C-alpha cells in the first residue's frame, strides 16, 4: 500500500525553488520508504532543487517505493544539484549526488532544459540509480526527457574521480533529448543495469569521460556486466572516452565477473568517437583497472579518432556500412613512425573503413609530401586490423609538390595526380609571362588600324586593348593594355619606323589561387607597304613583368620576369572589286621569358625553367570599303600553332612537372576603320579564339591615330 501524494506547485506556478543546507547531511527532496509519503509531483515553469552540506548532499533522494515526477514538458528549466561545501568531519562519508534513486524508486524529470549537477565530494555522482539487490520485480528507474539535458559531476581534487551517470544492480537510466554528460567517468555501470541515451536517434549526444564497468566487493560483489547504449547521431555528437573495467577486491570468478558483453555504441551521420588512453594493466590483484572491448559498434558514416600511439581499442563486432578512422601518425618517433591501433574482430559484409592519416597533433591530414605510398600503407597496417570482409582504403591528399594517391581494399596504390598545386601553379605562373606573348602579339591591323588611309609621313597613336584568357585548372586571366606610339617615314625611304610604350595589367584566378601582374613594355617596329598591296611588318619587344601570387588562400609569393619577342608579318591585299578585298596574312612570333623562382610565404618554393614560344599564324581578312573613303569593315580568321611552349617546374623537394606546350587554335574576329578627318582615323576590333589550351574568351581593341 502506498503513502499519500504530495504536490508542490502546478502547471500555472511560475517557479519552484527548494534549497536544503546542513552542516552534516542535506536532501532537497527525500521520499520513501513505503510507510511514508511515496508519490511526489513538483510542477512549475522553472524548478530548482539544491542540497548542500559538508558531508552528504543529495538534490533528490528517492528511496524504496518512491514515485517522483519533477517538471513537465512545458517547463522551461529544471535544475537539480547536490553540492558538498566546506571541510568534512574527520572519518565522515563524503557524497554529493544530484539524483539518488534506489530500491525500485521511479523518478521522472521533464523540461525544455534539464541540468543535473554534483560537486565537491570524494564520491561525486550527478545521477545514481540502483536497486541494491538483483532480485527485484521492478527496477529502480530514472527517466529524463528534455530538449537540452546537461549532466555534470565535478571535483576540485584531481585525485577524486567523478561519475556522471551511475547505474548499479538492475538500475535503469533512460535519457531522451540533446544530452551532454561530463565527468571523469561519464557512465559507471554494473550488475545488469541499463543506461540508454538518445535511443530514438533524433538528438545529439556529447559524452565526455569514460564508461567504467566497476566491481566492488565491499558494497556489491555483483558482476560488472551491464547494458550501456550510446547512440551518437550527427556531427554535433561525440564521445571522448573509453571503456574500462575497474575492481576493488577479488571476485570469486574473475573472468566472469570482470567480463563485459553489453557495451553498444552507435555512430552515424558524422558522429565522432575519440578514445582516450586508459592504462590497460591492473595495478594489483585486488585493486586495479583494465581496458575492455567495445562489444557492438553500429557504424553508419561515423568517425573514430585514434589520436595517440598509446590508444589500442578493440571492436568485437561492427554492423552497418562503416565510416572513417582518423589515425594520428607520429613521424618523428625515435623508434620509427608510430600510430595507435583499432582492431575490428567481426563485421557485416561489405563494411568499409576510410582511413585518414593525420599528423601527431591531429591538426591536419598528412599529404603525399609527408608520406610515400609505402609509408602510408605501413601506417595503415599498423593502425588498422579489421576482419577480412571489411574494405579498408585510404586516400592521401596531394601536397604542395607530390601527387596524391589512393590505397584500395587490396592494398594497391594508384595516383590521383597530377599534383594540382604544381599543375595550377605552373599554369598560372606560366600564364602570366606567356600571356605576355598572347596579349602583346598583334598583327599590324590590330596595332595600327588601316594605316593605308593615313595622311602624312608621321603620326601618333594610342589604343586600349582588353580581354579575358581562360584555360584549365579554372584559369581566368582578365587583362587590359594601354599602348601609345609614334612613327615616321624618313625621306627617301619606303619603310615606316616607330616605337611604342605600353602598360598591361592582368588579374588571373584559378582553382588554387590568384595572381596580379603588372607589365611594362617597349617595342620598336618597321613597316613596309608596297603600292600593289603588299606589306611586311617587323616588331621587336622588351617587357618586364612582376607577378604577385596567392596560393591556397594565404600563401603568398612573387615572380619577376623579363620577356623578349620578335615577330614578323607578311600580307598582300587583293582588291576583288572597288568595294571588296581579301588579304592573306602569315605571321611568326618568337618569345623568350627568363626563368624565375617562386617562393611562397609557407616556405614552399618552385623553380621555373626558361620559357620559349614560337607562334605561327596563317589567316585571311575579308574587307568592305566604305564609300567616299570613309573607312572599311573587315572580318578575319586565322589558324595559330604553337611550335614550342614547353614548360617545366621543379618543386622544393625535387618533384618535377613538365607540360607539352604545343597547341593549335583558331582566331576569328571583326573590325572597323573609320576616317574622322583626312588626318585622323579611328579603329576597333573584336576577336575570340577557340580550340586551344589557353583561349581568348573575348578581346576588344579601340584605337585612334593622327597623322601630320
Amino acid at each position: 500500500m502506498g503513502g499519500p501524494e504530495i504536490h508542490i506547485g502546478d502547471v500555472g506556478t511560475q517557479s519552484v525553488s527548494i534549497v536544503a543546507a546542513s552542516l552534516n547531511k542535506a536532501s532537497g527532496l527525500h521520499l520513501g520508504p513505503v510507510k511514508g509519503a511515496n508519490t511526489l509531483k513538483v510542477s512549475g515553469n522553472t524548478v530548482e532543487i539544491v542540497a548542500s552540506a559538508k558531508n552528504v548532499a543529495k538534490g533528490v533522494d528517492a528511496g524504496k517505493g518512491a514515485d517522483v515526477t519533477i517538471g513537465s514538458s512545458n517547463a522551461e528549466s529544471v535544475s537539480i544539484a547536490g553540492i558538498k561545501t566546506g571541510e568534512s568531519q574527520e572519518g565522515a562519508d563524503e557524497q554529493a549526488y544530484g539524483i539518488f534513486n534506489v530500491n525500485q524508486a521511479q523518478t521522472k524529470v521533464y523540461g525544455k532544459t534539464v541540468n543535473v549537477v554534483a560537486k565537491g565530494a570524494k564520491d561525486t555522482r550527478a545521477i545514481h540509480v540502483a536497486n541494491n539487490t538483483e532480485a527485484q520485480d521492478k527496477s529502480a528507474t530514472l527517466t529524463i526527457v528534455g530538449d537540452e539535458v546537461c549532466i555534470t559531476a565535478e571535483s576540485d581534487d584531481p585525485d577524486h574521480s567523478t561519475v556522471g551517470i551511475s547505474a548499479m544492480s538492475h538500475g535503469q537510466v533512460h535519457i531522451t533529448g540533446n544530452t551532454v554528460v561530463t565527468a571523469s567517468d561519464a557512465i559507471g555501470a554494473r550488475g545488469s543495469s541499463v543506461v540508454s541515451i538518445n535511443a530514438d536517434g533524433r538528438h545529439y549526444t556529447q559524452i565526455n569521460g569514460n564508461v567504467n564497468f566497476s566491481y566492488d566487493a565491499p558494497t556489491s560483489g555483483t558482476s560488472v556486466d551491464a547494458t550501456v547504449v550510446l547512440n551518437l547521431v550527427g556531427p554535433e555528437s561525440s564521445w571522448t572516452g573509453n571503456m574500462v573495467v575497474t575492481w576493488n577486491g577479488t571476485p570469486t570468478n574473475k573472468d566472469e565477473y570482470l567480463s563485459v558483453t553489453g557495451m553498444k555504441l552507435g555512430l552515424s551521420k558524422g558522429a565522432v568517437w575519440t578514445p582516450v588512453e586508459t592504462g590497460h594493466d591492473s595495478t594489483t590483484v585486488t585493486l586495479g583497472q583494465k581496458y575492455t572491448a567495445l562489444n557492438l559498434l553500429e557504424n553508419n558514416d561515423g568517425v573514430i579518432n585514434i589520436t595517440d600511439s598509446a590508444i589500442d581499442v578493440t571492436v568485437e563486432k561492427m554492423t552497418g556500412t562503416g565510416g572513417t578512422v582518423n589515425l594520428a601518425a607520429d613521424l618523428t618517433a625515435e623508434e620509427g613512425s608510430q600510430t595507435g591501433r583499432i582492431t575490428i574482430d567481426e563485421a557485416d559484409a561489405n563494411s568499409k573503413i576510410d582511413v585518414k592519416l593525420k599528423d601527431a597533433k591531429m591538426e591536419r591530414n598528412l599529404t603525399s609530401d609527408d608520406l610515400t605510398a609505402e609509408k602510408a600503407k605501413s601506417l595503415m597496417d599498423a593502425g588498422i586490423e579489421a576482419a577480412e570482409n571489411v574494405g579498408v582504403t585510404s586516400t592521401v591528399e596531394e601536397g604542395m609538390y607530390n601527387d596524391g594517391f589512393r590505397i584500395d581494399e587490396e592494398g594497391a596504390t594508384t595516383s590521383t595526380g597530377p599534383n594540382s598545386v604544381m599543375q595550377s601553379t605552373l599554369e598560372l605562373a606560366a600564364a602570366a609571362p606567356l600571356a605576355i606573348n598572347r596579349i602583346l602579339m598583334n598583327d599590324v591591323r590590330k596595332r595600327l588600324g588601316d594605316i593605308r588611309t593615313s595622311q602624312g609621313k608621321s603620326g601618333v597613336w594610342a589604343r586600349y586593348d582588353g580581354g579575358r584568357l581562360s584555360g584549365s585548372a579554372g584559369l581566368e586571366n582578365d587583362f587590359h593594355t594601354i599602348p601609345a606610339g609614334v612613327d615616321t617615314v624618313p625621306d627617301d625611304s619606303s619603310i615606316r619606323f616607330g616605337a611604342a610604350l605600353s602598360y598591361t595589367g592582368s588579374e588571373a584566378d584559378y582553382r588554387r589561387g590568384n595572381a596580379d601582374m603588372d607589365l611594362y613594355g617597349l617595342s620598336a617596329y618597321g613597316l613596309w607597304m608596297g603600292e600593289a598591296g603588299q606589306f611586311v611588318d617587323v616588331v621587336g619587344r622588351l617587357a618586364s613583368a612582376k607577378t604577385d601570387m596567392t596560393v591556397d588562400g594565404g600563401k603568398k609569393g612573387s615572380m619577376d620576369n623579363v620577356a623578349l619577342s620578335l615577330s614578323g608579318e607578311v600580307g598582300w591585299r587583293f582588291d576583288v572589286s572597288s568595294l571588296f578585298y581579301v588579304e592573306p596574312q602569315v605571321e611568326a612570333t618568337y618569345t623568350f621569358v627568363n626563368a624565375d623562382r617562386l617562393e611562397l610565404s609557407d616556405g614552399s618554393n618552385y623553380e621555373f625553367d626558361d620559357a620559349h614560344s614560337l607562334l605561327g599564324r596563317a589567316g585571311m581578312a575579308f574587307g568592305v570599303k566604305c564609300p567616299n573613303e570613309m573607312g572599311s569593315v573587315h572580318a578575319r580568321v586565322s589558324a595559330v600553332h604553337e611550335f614550342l611552349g614547353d614548360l617545366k617546374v621543379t618543386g622544393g623537394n625535387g618533384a618535377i612537372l613538365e607540360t607539352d606546350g604545343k597547341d593549335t587554335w583558331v582566331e576569328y574576329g571583326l573590325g572597323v576603320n573609320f576616317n574622322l578627318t583626312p588626318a585622323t582615323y579611328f579603329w576597333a576590333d573584336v576577336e575570340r579564339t577557340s580550340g586551344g589550351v589557353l583561349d581568348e574568351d573575348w578581346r576588344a581593341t579601340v584605337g585612334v591615330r593622327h597623322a601630320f
Side-chain angles (χ1 to χ4, degrees):
M1 142 178 119
E5 287 190 9
I6 298 176
H7 292 256
I8 301 175
D10 56 33
V11 293
T13 302
Q14 183 61 33
S15 66
V16 174
S17 181
I18 301 173
V19 178
S22 172
L23 293 177
N24 187 19
K25 298 180 179 180
S27 296
L29 292 177
H30 185 188
L31 253 69
V34 169
K35 58 184 179 181
N38 68 329
T39 301
L40 173 65
K41 294 183 179 180
V42 181
S43 303
N45 189 50
T46 63
V47 178
E48 180 185 34
I49 303 171
V50 179
S52 61
K54 287 187 176 183
N55 297 330
V56 178
K58 299 176 181 178
V60 173
D61 186 355
K64 187 176 182 179
D67 187 345
V68 181
T69 302
I70 301 173
S72 69
S73 59
N74 294 321
E76 289 295 327
S77 69
V78 175
S79 297
I80 303 171
I83 302 172
K84 179 194 174 299
T85 58
E87 294 291 332
S88 301
Q89 300 174 4
E90 186 175 352
D93 291 336
E94 287 189 23
Q95 296 176 342
Y97 296 163
I99 297 175
F100 185 81
N101 188 88
V102 298
N103 294 348
Q104 296 184 329
Q106 308 291 299
T107 298
K108 299 168 284 292
V109 182
Y110 304 102
K112 293 180 181 179
T113 300
V114 177
N115 290 295
V116 183
V117 177
K119 294 182 179 180
K122 291 181 180 179
D123 183 5
T124 299
R125 312 183 197 194
I127 291 170
H128 177 70
V129 179
N131 252 12
N132 291 341
T133 64
E134 295 189 33
Q136 293 284 354
D137 296 331
K138 184 177 178 183
S139 297
T141 302
L142 171 66
T143 302
I144 299 177
V145 179
D147 295 341
E148 305 289 334
V149 179
C150 184
I151 299 167
T152 307
E154 300 177 351
S155 176
D156 296 330
D157 190 338
D159 294 330
H160 294 168
S161 63
T162 59
V163 184
I165 301 171
S166 171
M168 311 284 178
S169 301
H170 286 258
Q172 296 192 23
V173 178
H174 303 278
I175 300 175
T176 301
N178 296 331
T179 303
V180 179
V181 182
T182 303
S184 55
D185 288 332
I187 297 170
R190 67 167 173 256
S192 301
S193 61
V194 176
V195 177
S196 174
I197 300 178
N198 193 19
D200 63 0
R202 297 172 57 189
H203 308 86
Y204 69 74
T205 303
Q206 297 174 1
I207 308 296
N208 305 299
N210 291 330
V211 177
N212 186 350
F213 298 88
S214 61
Y215 174 83
D216 191 71
T219 63
S220 172
T222 59
S223 164
V224 302
D225 202 12
T227 300
V228 176
V229 181
L230 307 179
N231 195 17
L232 278 58
V233 180
E236 289 185 277
S237 294
S238 63
W239 175 28
T240 302
N242 218 327
M243 297 82 54
V244 296
V245 169
T246 60
W247 60 93
N248 179 20
T250 304
T252 304
N253 187 333
K254 190 172 182 180
D255 289 339
E256 177 183 351
Y257 273 58
L258 299 185
S259 295
V260 178
T261 64
M263 179 65 207
K264 175 182 175 182
L265 173 65
L267 293 177
S268 61
K269 300 180 180 179
V272 180
W273 174 32
T274 304
V276 299
E277 184 180 357
T278 62
H280 295 180
D281 298 325
S282 62
T283 54
T284 68
V285 176
T286 60
L287 183 66
Q289 172 178 298
K290 69 174 184 177
Y291 168 79
T292 189
L294 176 62
N295 305 123
L296 178 62
L297 171 64
E298 291 188 357
N299 194 357
N300 292 287
D301 197 27
V303 180
I304 301 173
N305 292 326
I306 307 298
T307 60
D308 189 88
S309 59
I311 306 299
D312 188 358
V313 295
T314 297
V315 176
E316 293 180 346
K317 184 176 182 179
M318 184 176 75
T319 62
T321 59
T324 300
V325 173
N326 292 320
L327 192 62
D330 185 357
L331 304 181
T332 64
E334 293 183 2
E335 299 179 359
S337 301
Q338 297 179 353
T339 66
R341 186 172 181 84
I342 180 170
T343 301
I344 302 171
D345 292 334
E346 182 183 349
D348 282 353
N350 301 316
S351 296
K352 298 184 181 299
I353 294 294
D354 180 30
V355 180
K356 301 293 186 185
L357 294 168
K358 300 273 191 177
D359 71 338
K361 295 182 178 180
M362 296 286 286
E363 295 177 344
R364 65 177 183 87
N365 290 339
L366 295 177
T367 72
S368 58
D369 290 347
D370 305 305
L371 300 169
T372 63
E374 293 76 15
K375 174 61 72 174
K377 181 65 167 57
S378 70
L379 291 171
M380 287 176 59
D381 291 342
I384 307 289
E385 183 177 350
E388 291 184 359
N389 60 338
V390 179
V392 181
T393 63
S394 180
T395 299
V396 177
E397 302 169 0
E398 65 183 18
M400 297 297 291
Y401 309 116
N402 296 324
D403 299 347
F405 54 86
R406 184 176 185 273
I407 302 173
D408 65 18
E409 298 176 0
E410 304 299 324
T413 301
T414 56
S415 173
T416 59
N419 183 279
S420 68
V421 181
M422 289 273 283
Q423 181 76 34
S424 303
T425 303
L426 175 63
E427 291 184 359
L428 182 60
L434 286 184
I436 298 170
N437 191 23
R438 298 286 293 272
I439 294 170
L440 297 184
M441 178 187 177
N442 49 76
D443 56 63
V444 66
R445 185 181 293 274
K446 282 192 292 186
R447 191 174 79 254
L448 298 174
D450 191 358
I451 198 170
R452 295 177 185 276
T453 64
S454 177
Q455 303 292 319
K457 289 191 173 185
S458 302
V460 295
W461 57 269
R463 63 183 172 90
Y464 171 83
D465 188 8
R468 171 176 291 176
L469 302 171
S470 63
S472 59
L475 175 65
E476 289 188 352
N477 188 352
D478 293 321
F479 66 89
H480 59 273
T481 300
I482 302 175
V486 60
D487 52 50
T488 188
V489 179
D491 293 337
D492 302 324
S493 176
S494 58
I495 301 175
R496 183 179 299 274
F497 297 95
L501 295 174
S502 65
Y503 166 76
T504 298
S506 170
E507 296 179 356
D509 292 297
Y510 75 127
R511 69 184 178 205
R512 300 299 292 262
N514 58 77
D516 294 325
M517 181 183 72
D518 292 303
L519 180 147
Y520 298 90
L522 171 66
S523 62
Y525 57 90
L527 173 62
W528 174 81
M529 306 193 77
E531 295 181 359
Q534 316 96 317
F535 70 89
V536 177
D537 183 45
V538 178
V539 184
R541 303 181 183 87
L542 171 65
S544 175
K546 180 177 179 60
T547 305
D548 294 319
M549 299 179 60
T550 300
V551 179
D552 280 353
K555 304 167 186 174
K556 299 182 180 297
S558 64
M559 295 194 307
D560 294 301
N561 299 101
V562 174
L564 300 171
S565 75
L566 179 67
S567 67
E569 181 184 7
V570 177
W572 197 324
R573 178 182 293 188
F574 297 95
D575 289 330
V576 180
S577 69
S578 59
L579 294 178
F580 298 96
Y581 67 85
V582 296
E583 184 179 282
Q585 307 158 353
V586 177
E587 183 180 10
T589 303
Y590 170 78
T591 301
F592 166 82
V593 181
N594 75 312
D596 197 19
R597 174 186 174 92
L598 173 64
E599 184 166 346
L600 300 177
S601 52
D602 69 338
S604 56
N605 59 85
Y606 306 87
E607 192 76 39
F608 296 89
D609 283 8
D610 294 338
H612 302 267
S613 170
L614 178 61
L615 295 177
R617 182 181 68 86
M620 184 78 71
F622 307 89
V624 179
K625 301 176 184 178
C626 299
N628 302 318
E629 297 185 351
M630 293 295 294
S632 63
V633 178
H634 71 270
R636 55 187 176 82
V637 61
S638 301
V640 187
H641 183 72
E642 171 66 81
F643 293 90
L644 301 176
D646 294 348
L647 302 172
K648 179 180 178 181
V649 61
T650 303
N653 69 340
I656 295 174
L657 183 65
E658 297 179 275
T659 62
D660 184 353
K662 297 177 180 62
D663 193 18
T664 301
W665 61 92
V666 178
E667 177 184 285
Y668 45 94
L670 297 171
V672 61
N673 204 93
F674 185 72
N675 296 319
L676 301 174
T677 71
T680 305
Y681 65 84
F682 158 92
W683 78 94
D685 190 275
V686 293
E687 74 171 25
R688 284 178 57 92
T689 71
S690 57
V693 174
L694 186 65
D695 283 327
E696 289 180 359
D697 297 333
W698 63 273
R699 183 172 180 173
T701 298
V702 178
V704 63
R705 176 183 172 87
H706 179 74
F708 51 85

